[in-house]
Amino acid sequence: QVQLVESGGGLVQAGGSLRLSCAASGRTFSSYAMGWFRQAPGKEREFVAALSWSGWSGDRLYYANSVNGRFTISRDNAKNTVYLQMNSLKPEDTAVYYCNSDLKNAGGSVVAGDYWGQGTQVTVSS
C-alpha cells in the first residue's frame, strides 16, 4: 500500500523559510495528484497546495489563497518525493502539515485522497 513519510518541519521566525518533503512508497506517483493540507490549533484541517499531472500539458499547480505567492509545490518523479517550499512565513502559518495522495478537483473544490502522511509540525514565531 501507499505510504507517505514527511520531514522538514520545525521552528522558524516570521519572514523565514522552510521546505517540507514527502517521500512516497508502494507505487509510482508521477501520474497521481499530490498535495498538502494543514491544521492549526483549534481550527479545521484546510487545503494548502496541490500538484497534478495533465499528460502532455505537464504539471498543474493549485494553491489556497492564503499561501498563493509565498508557497511553491513541486515534485521529483525519480525520487517519488513532493516538496512544499514555504517562504515569507507568518505566525498564522503555524500548523501541523500533512502530505496527501490522490487528490481530486471537484468543480473547483479540492477533495482529499485516501493516503496521508503522519504530519510534521511547523511553528512560526513572531
Side-chain angles (χ1 to χ4, degrees):
Q1 292 184 318
V2 175
Q3 290 185 309
L4 307 175
V5 180
E6 303 168 352
S7 62
L11 175 64
V12 65
Q13 294 181 345
S17 299
L18 286 173
R19 188 177 74 163
L20 307 183
S21 298
C22 173
S25 63
R27 73 179 185 189
T28 301
F29 67 35
S30 60
S31 60
Y32 296 88
M34 302 290 297
W36 294 88
F37 290 76
R38 68 184 182 186
Q39 187 166 19
K43 296 185 177 181
E44 297 181 349
R45 189 171 299 185
E46 65 177 354
F47 168 74
V48 176
L51 181 154
S52 64
W53 173 250
S54 59
W56 293 107
S57 297
D59 291 342
R60 292 180 292 176
L61 310 178
Y62 306 87
Y63 298 99
N65 290 335
S66 59
V67 306
N68 192 28
R70 299 187 297 119
F71 291 10
T72 303
I73 187 171
S74 62
R75 67 180 176 185
D76 185 332
N77 290 335
K79 297 180 179 180
N80 268 7
T81 299
V82 176
Y83 304 97
L84 184 67
Q85 179 66 46
M86 305 184 294
N87 298 325
S88 301
L89 283 163
K90 305 174 181 179
E92 51 264 42
D93 295 319
T94 295
V96 177
Y97 284 71
Y98 297 91
C99 183
N100 183 249
S101 182
D102 297 12
L103 286 73
K104 293 181 174 62
N105 188 331
S109 179
V110 175
V111 178
D114 293 333
Y115 304 104
W116 294 91
Q118 79 285 353
T120 184
Q121 177 70 50
V122 172
T123 302
V124 183
S125 62
S126 60

